[in-house]
Amino acid sequence: MSNVDVATLVQQIHDAPLRIVLAITGGGSRAISALLEMPGASRTVLEATVPYCAAALVDWIKAKPEHFCSECTARAMAMAGYQRALKYSPNSADQLVAGVACTASLVSDRHKHGAHRIHIALQSAVATQTWSLVLHKGTRNRAQEEAIAARLVLNSIAQGAGLESRLPLSLQQESIVENRCDAPEAWQRLLAGTLAATRLRGTVILPKIVFPGAFNPLHPGHRAMAKLAARRLSAEVAYELSIVNADKPPIDFIELDQRARQFADNETLWLTHASTFVEKSAIFPGAAFLVGVDTIERIAEPRFYGDNVDRCRAALDEIAGRGCRFLVFGRAQGQRFLSLSDLTLPGNLAAICDEVPAAEFREDVSSTELRKRHSSP
């Protein structure tokens, strides 16, 4: 690995086959200028954007992050960029297309209680990579921190392009923490949408009970629900984690690996490319799906079917036609506990739902609340 200047590195990047969509917020935007000022930028940059305000970043990743400056947010930004890069390069080999993102918290005109930090992510068809750097506070001005952020962005692009050259960063005994997950072929195909499902753990090949969820994190309430369902329906439960979501970017490979590792080897876990229950019912015909009341309400909302009531009704009929049912668990919402019996559902959906009453099961633990308790930027 050799050190070069900015002009040399950028020229090498433009000569490499990698094409990127770049999203930068909070710092590091000089990387965009460096790339665009050098001839040949059109060979590398498909799109570059700076979603600087909170609303713009939320719009970019289609969700409000728990921390705007974190590795997790950088990965979500990079995945959103990767999806756009695919759209702009339909004839390119997937492994030559990437989303690159940087979210940073640097010197400002107001005091910041948290650390000055930089998080960068690169998402391709085959891997998710991240670079995180915490800067010594109070030792540099904004321009100096910006220069480090921009150079780190360019170095990450160079690494993604397979180059050996790097820009020196002038760090003060500060360490870059790198994280990478190289996806197995099945995961790559799931992300690409050429594979519908793959069994990662366990032995249940044709599950009669399927527990779909984000499992972020998996908690004792999930396992208690699975145990009750297995006893009630006399079958083993298979957990299902979809790499795609109806209204968010797909789960990146680092995140997918972290969530999958929560499950024991004797617990059956399926990974799918199925964001809707119509798709899930095609993969698991005849299965009973374990869901909460909030999920069963969303299934019946026409907004998830292009605001088309007829499409919604047809989707519910399709699920029922495959012999699938829903075992519905109640959930605390504010000061009340909402059960299936409290809902007014379309008749064709209500006909395939069975309630687990609060007297039989109630667990007020929330994955969202657990993340808030334990998460840090």
Side-chain angles (χ1 to χ4, degrees):
M1 199 168 295
S2 59
N3 287 339
V4 297
D5 60 24
V6 172
T8 301
L9 184 68
V10 170
Q11 189 60 64
Q12 291 178 5
I13 289 172
H14 289 341
D15 290 340
L18 183 67
R19 309 186 79 197
I20 63 170
V21 166
L22 182 59
I24 291 179
T25 186
S29 60
R30 289 185 191 176
I32 297 175
S33 299
L35 289 167
L36 298 184
E37 288 171 359
M38 182 72 65
S42 61
R43 295 195 299 270
T44 300
V45 181
L46 296 165
E47 179 182 13
T49 186
V50 182
Y52 210 77
C53 75
L57 182 56
V58 168
D59 185 63
W60 183 258
I61 63 175
K62 307 305 178 189
K64 182 178 180 180
E66 290 173 6
H67 299 284
F68 281 83
C69 183
S70 69
E71 182 198 303
C72 183
T73 299
R75 287 190 269 114
M77 292 170 65
M79 178 60 82
Y82 173 66
Q83 296 296 299
R84 294 175 73 90
L86 288 178
K87 183 176 67 173
Y88 298 145
S89 304
N91 299 318
S92 295
D94 287 356
Q95 65 269 24
L96 304 180
V97 169
V100 180
C102 174
T103 176
S105 180
L106 306 179
V107 174
S108 177
D109 59 0
R110 64 186 186 282
H111 176 71
K112 291 186 176 179
H113 296 287
H116 293 185
R117 58 200 185 275
I118 304 163
H119 297 284
I120 296 168
L122 186 147
Q123 179 66 50
S124 70
V126 300
T128 304
Q129 303 174 70
T130 64
W131 299 263
S132 294
L133 174 62
V134 176
L135 299 169
H136 292 325
K137 208 168 179 179
T139 62
R140 300 180 181 92
N141 60 31
R142 175 67 182 223
Q144 290 169 329
E145 290 190 347
E146 281 280 0
I148 291 174
R151 283 174 167 248
L152 192 52
V153 170
L154 293 172
N155 282 349
S156 70
I157 296 170
Q159 186 167 329
L163 302 175
E164 292 295 322
S165 300
R166 297 291 186 272
L167 300 174
L169 298 178
S170 302
L171 299 183
Q172 304 170 354
Q173 296 183 325
E174 299 145 325
S175 299
I176 299 169
V177 177
E178 296 190 37
N179 195 5
R180 178 181 178 126
C181 179
D182 292 293
E185 182 184 356
W187 295 18
Q188 297 174 37
R189 294 179 60 200
L190 282 175
L191 180 60
T194 59
L195 179 67
T198 183
R199 180 166 52 90
L200 185 64
R201 281 180 170 74
T203 58
V204 183
I205 299 174
L206 298 173
K208 294 182 179 179
I209 310 173
V210 176
F211 191 169
F215 307 115
N216 184 29
L218 176 70
H219 56 68
H222 290 132
R223 289 195 166 102
M225 291 168 66
K227 185 176 180 180
L228 181 148
R231 183 175 67 247
R232 182 166 174 167
L233 301 178
S234 302
E236 187 176 339
V237 173
Y239 295 91
E240 181 255 343
L241 173 60
S242 175
I243 197 170
V244 292
N245 187 290
D247 49 9
K248 299 177 185 177
I251 299 173
D252 65 81
F253 297 135
I254 290 176
E255 186 71 25
L256 191 62
D257 182 62
Q258 290 174 348
R259 295 191 199 181
R261 288 179 184 274
Q262 300 175 106
F263 295 87
D265 289 339
N266 64 346
E267 293 178 310
T268 297
L269 173 64
W270 282 78
L271 304 179
T272 74
H273 184 100
S275 62
T276 69
F277 277 93
V278 171
E279 294 168 308
K280 296 181 199 298
S281 68
I283 297 169
F284 306 110
F289 293 104
L290 309 189
V291 298
V293 289
D294 52 336
T295 298
I296 207 70
E297 272 192 305
R298 289 197 298 271
I299 293 171
E301 291 181 11
R303 67 187 178 95
F304 291 105
Y305 308 88
D307 288 320
N308 189 310
V309 175
D310 291 335
R311 282 179 57 192
C312 177
R313 185 182 301 112
L316 299 176
D317 286 340
E318 193 172 342
I319 294 169
R322 293 192 174 117
C324 294
R325 299 187 64 83
F326 295 97
L327 186 60
V328 185
F329 290 77
R331 170 168 283 190
Q333 293 193 351
Q335 299 301 312
R336 62 180 300 211
F337 187 82
L338 195 65
S339 299
L340 177 65
S341 56
D342 297 313
L343 306 181
T344 301
L345 300 176
N348 55 349
L349 178 57
I352 56 173
C353 289
D354 298 300
E355 181 177 45
V356 178
E360 187 175 353
F361 181 90
R362 175 166 179 170
E363 185 75 56
D364 291 349
V365 64
S366 159
S367 291
T368 301
E369 288 303 317
L370 289 174
R371 288 197 305 276
K372 287 180 179 178
R373 284 181 216 163
H374 300 294
S375 68
S376 60

